[in-house]
Amino acid sequence: MVKAVVFDIGETLVRDDRYWGSWADWLNIPRHTLSALVGAVTALGMDNAEAVRILRPGIDLHAARQAREEAGQGEHLDETDLYPDVRSGLRALRDAGLRVCVAGNQTRKAGDLLRGLSIPADAIVTSEEWGIAKPDPGFFGKVLQLAEAPAHETVYVGDHPANDIIPAKAFGLRTCMIRRGPWGHLWGNDAAALDAADWQIDTIAELPSLLSGERNRHARQSP
C-alpha cells in the first residue's frame, strides 16, 4: 500500500522556462538557441548543462552562477513558475493521508525558493543539499529516508525516464511518469519508460484517485 509520494522538481512541479531563459539572457544568446540545445544534448543522454558548455566552451558554471547572483540575475522562483495543478494535487494527496515530499536535482537556492512558496509538502530537499544527484542510487536511498516509508510503499513521480523513473524503479520504488515538459513528451511512450512506470499521468490531479484505487485494492486483499 502506498504511504508516501515524492516528486521531482523541474518540469514535474516547476516549469523550466524562466531558468533556461535567464541563462540565455546572461550569455547574450537567443533563448530559442539555448532551449534547442538543451533538448538536443538531453536527447543524446548528456547532462543538460552541456548546452551551456557548447555555447561557452571552458565556462566555469559555478563561477558563472555566482556572478549572476552578484549581478542580481540569479535563480528565481515564484507562483507563476509552478504548474497550475501543483497546489491542489499535492493537497489532495496529503488529505488522503499520504506523506508528500519533494526531491530533485536542483541547487540549494532552488530548494530555499521552493520552500518559500509554501507548497503543501511535508519536506523539500535538493540534490545539492544532499550532495548527491540522480540517477545515482544513493539519491534514492535519501528519498526513502525522506519518505519515511519502505521502497514498495513509496512512489517517485518524475518526467525523465533515465533520471527519475528507471533508477527509482531499480532501487525498488514504485514509479509514476508524468507526461509534460520536453522530456515527458519526448519519452512518455518510450518502451523503457513504459516498462519501468507503475503509472503514467498527464497531470498531478490524476494521481490521488489512482493511488486511492491502489489503497482500496490493498485493503480488499488484506485479511
Side-chain angles (χ1 to χ4, degrees):
M1 186 173 73
V2 174
K3 294 183 179 178
V5 183
V6 184
F7 289 88
D8 170 46
I9 299 174
E11 292 302 343
T12 296
L13 302 182
V14 174
R15 293 170 43 165
D16 285 342
D17 309 44
R18 185 198 301 272
Y19 179 80
W20 290 113
S22 65
W23 267 109
D25 295 344
W26 178 257
L27 297 170
N28 194 30
I29 60 170
R31 290 187 171 200
H32 175 69
T33 299
L34 180 55
S35 179
L37 277 173
V38 169
V41 299
T42 308
L44 291 171
M46 302 161 66
D47 188 313
N48 54 24
E50 289 303 314
V52 176
R53 296 188 179 100
I54 289 171
L55 292 163
R56 296 290 185 271
I59 189 173
D60 182 331
L61 287 175
H62 177 76
R65 290 190 187 101
Q66 184 62 36
R68 288 185 57 192
E69 291 292 339
E70 292 172 357
Q73 298 182 39
E75 285 187 86
H76 178 79
L77 283 176
D78 63 32
E79 194 70 22
T80 65
D81 295 299
L82 295 177
Y83 276 101
D85 58 359
V86 169
R87 290 192 181 280
S88 59
L90 270 58
R91 187 176 299 110
L93 290 167
R94 293 182 82 186
D95 289 346
L98 295 166
R99 178 170 170 81
V100 175
C101 302
V102 177
N105 282 358
Q106 301 284 343
T107 64
R108 184 180 304 274
K109 182 174 180 180
D112 290 338
L113 291 168
L114 192 56
R115 286 186 288 267
L117 295 179
S118 299
I119 63 173
D122 295 290
I124 299 172
V125 187
T126 68
S127 57
E128 186 173 71
E129 292 170 321
W130 275 341
I132 192 166
K134 297 178 291 184
D136 192 300
F139 178 93
F140 294 98
K142 294 281 191 179
V143 164
L144 290 183
Q145 293 176 22
L146 191 70
E148 299 179 359
H152 67 280
E153 295 179 345
T154 301
V155 178
Y156 192 78
V157 183
D159 65 299
H160 197 304
N163 277 354
D164 301 328
I165 306 305
I166 294 171
K169 189 70 169 182
F171 204 81
L173 282 76
R174 311 291 295 278
T175 56
C176 179
M177 175 84 179
I178 186 162
R179 292 179 296 230
R180 68 178 172 203
W183 329 130
H185 287 297
L186 179 63
W187 288 310
N189 293 316
D190 179 80
L194 291 170
D195 185 59
D198 292 288
W199 298 278
Q200 284 194 314
I201 58 176
D202 295 312
T203 170
I204 297 172
E206 300 171 54
L207 197 52
S209 61
L210 288 175
L211 297 186
S212 175
E214 173 80 2
R215 289 159 70 89
N216 291 337
R217 181 186 63 79
H218 179 86
R220 290 194 299 270
Q221 292 177 349
S222 298

